[in-house]
């Protein structure tokens, strides 16, 4: 029997393994034999997650029944935060799965990328599709610090909406006093390096691109949207992990694995191994008034 491939990033007791993955929604019109057909993508997705076992997993485009498939592939002590973008279990999630044996949830919330961020299903920035941000504040006992985890999926059509969405994420990150070590995951529908949304993040000085900051790259710089085709080095990288300067990025990778030649999604997951230096910080005040 062939040996099981080794994980790209190996588990580490002190470092934090983070993955962002647009898993591609279960498209009702897809049929057996098509690359988009969800039942055929379940096994490759679960195989990848069981092999990599990230401590933090941010997913995009996931429908509720797809979350169940992800939960079945992760260890039983993992937990999830986030709701559907149409409210409750309706619509796509930008959910965050996390290793509850490593991270202790303090609080979490979700808001809509619009002028009315508390209004479920709202979109007012020129985008025709509802977009959301899910975030959680955690205690990491290994670093003895609080950590902010953020997951999002920006609009695919409106550049203006993406720029305003970047500003909303930056507002969230800078809201906390004192600042928390922060990891932002997402499908930003924006090219790394050239898009206005990407420049907004990097020029802020608040967040940096984990791929650029990494001490070591475990894979070539593949584009993250091969659409079930052969991954292209130097292709469009629209899926990112962003970090604040106090989060040290040790390794980064774009995972191109398949199961018997079948990809789990039209996107590729991006991964990072990060180091949150140990430092005590004062308790952060409640975020009840945020947004």
């Amino acid at each position: 029997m062939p040996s099981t491939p080794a994980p790209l990033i190996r588990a580490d007791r002190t470092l934090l393994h983070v993955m962002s993955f647009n898993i591609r929604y279960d498209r009702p019109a897809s049929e057996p034999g098509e690359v988009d057909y969800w039942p055929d993508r379940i096994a490759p997705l679960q195989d990848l997650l069981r092999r990599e076992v990230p401590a933090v997993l941010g997913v995009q485009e996931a429908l509720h029944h797809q979350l169940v498939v992800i939960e079945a592939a992760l260890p039983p002590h993992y937990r999830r935060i986030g709701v559907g973008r149409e409210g409750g279990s309706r619509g796509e999630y930008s959910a965050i799965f996390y290793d509850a044996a490593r991270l202790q949830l303090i609080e979490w919330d979700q808001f809509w990328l619009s002028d009315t961020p508390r209004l479920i299903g709202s979109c007012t920035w020129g985008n025709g599709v509802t977009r959301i941000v899910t975030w959680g504040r955690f205690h990491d006992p290994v670093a003895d610090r609080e950590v902010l985890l953020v997951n999002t999926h920006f609009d695919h059509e409106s550049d203006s909406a993406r720029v305003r969405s970047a500003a909303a994420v930056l507002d969230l990150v800078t809201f906390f006093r004192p600042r928390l070590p922060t990891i932002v995951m997402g499908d930003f529908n924006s090219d790394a390096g050239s898009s206005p949304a990407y420049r907004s993040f990097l020029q802020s000085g608040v967040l940096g691109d984990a791929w650029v900051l990494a001490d070591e790259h475990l894979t070539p710089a593949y584009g993250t949207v091969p659409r079930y085709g052969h991954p292209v080095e130097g292709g469009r990288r629209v899926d990112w992990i962003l970090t604040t300067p106090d989060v040290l990025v040790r390794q980064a990778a774009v995972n191109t694995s398949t199961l018997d030649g079948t990809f789990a999604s039209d996107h590729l997951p991006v991964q990072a191994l990060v180091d949150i230096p140990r430092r005590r910080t004062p308790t952060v005040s409640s975020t009840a008034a945020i947004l």
Side-chain angles (χ1 to χ4, degrees):
M1 292 181 63
S3 60
T4 302
L8 268 178
I9 293 181
R10 294 188 178 276
D12 187 287
R13 191 181 65 83
T14 58
L15 305 182
L16 200 63
H17 179 189
V18 179
M19 176 186 287
S20 180
F21 197 2
N22 180 329
I23 68 163
R24 178 63 171 168
Y25 76 111
D26 179 4
R27 187 169 63 88
S30 63
E31 298 180 353
E34 294 181 348
V35 291
D36 236 5
Y37 189 56
W38 168 244
D40 290 343
R41 296 191 285 116
I42 291 175
L45 175 60
Q46 292 187 323
D47 176 72
L48 187 152
L49 294 177
R50 286 173 178 145
R51 183 170 62 252
E52 297 296 332
V53 199
V56 175
L57 169 64
V59 296
Q60 302 87 36
E61 286 198 25
L63 300 175
H64 188 265
H65 67 278
Q66 294 178 292
L67 297 177
V68 176
V69 166
I70 294 171
E71 288 169 344
L74 295 172
H77 57 274
Y78 275 55
R79 300 292 181 266
R80 168 177 58 86
I81 58 175
V83 298
R85 67 188 185 190
E86 305 305 328
S89 61
R90 299 184 301 279
E92 296 175 11
Y93 288 65
S94 291
I96 300 174
F97 293 85
Y98 64 95
D99 180 353
R102 167 68 188 266
L103 296 171
Q104 301 165 356
L105 180 64
I106 299 171
E107 62 175 338
W108 76 272
D109 206 345
Q110 182 168 304
F111 62 89
W112 279 256
L113 289 167
S114 75
D115 290 318
T116 52
R118 291 290 186 186
L119 181 61
I120 294 172
S122 59
C123 53
T124 61
W125 291 346
N127 47 305
V129 176
T130 302
R131 301 293 179 179
I132 54 176
V133 173
T134 303
W135 63 268
R137 183 162 65 98
F138 298 82
H139 176 68
D140 179 3
V142 172
D144 195 20
R145 298 184 71 172
E146 291 185 4
V147 180
L148 180 65
L149 302 178
V150 183
N151 186 32
T152 189
H153 187 183
F154 283 7
D155 191 62
H156 65 300
E157 293 179 327
S158 171
D159 207 33
S160 174
R162 290 191 289 269
V163 170
R164 296 185 71 172
S165 297
V169 171
L170 287 167
D171 284 346
L172 169 66
V173 176
T174 57
F175 172 83
F176 294 88
R177 292 291 186 274
R179 296 276 181 87
L180 299 179
T182 299
I183 300 166
V184 178
M185 304 158 285
D187 171 0
F188 296 91
N189 275 310
S190 306
D191 291 346
S194 61
S195 65
Y198 183 86
R199 293 198 301 270
S200 295
F201 281 122
L202 268 62
Q203 291 172 0
S204 71
V206 175
L207 291 167
D209 182 348
W211 179 265
V212 174
L213 297 171
D215 295 337
E216 179 184 13
H217 293 137
L218 303 179
T219 66
Y222 292 117
T224 61
V225 200
R227 302 191 186 283
Y228 304 106
H230 184 72
V232 176
E233 186 172 353
R236 295 183 65 220
R237 185 165 60 89
V238 303
D239 302 88
W240 322 326
I241 295 172
L242 305 171
T243 58
T244 47
D246 47 1
V247 176
L248 307 177
V249 184
R250 301 306 186 193
Q251 296 178 330
V254 179
N255 197 315
T256 63
S257 68
T258 65
L259 182 64
D260 298 326
T262 300
F263 285 97
S265 172
D266 60 340
H267 285 242
L268 300 175
V270 294
Q271 297 168 245
L273 188 66
V274 303
D275 184 359
I276 302 170
R278 183 178 178 87
R279 181 172 62 83
R280 292 187 177 274
T281 56
T283 302
V284 179
S285 59
S286 171
T287 59
I290 193 169
L291 297 168

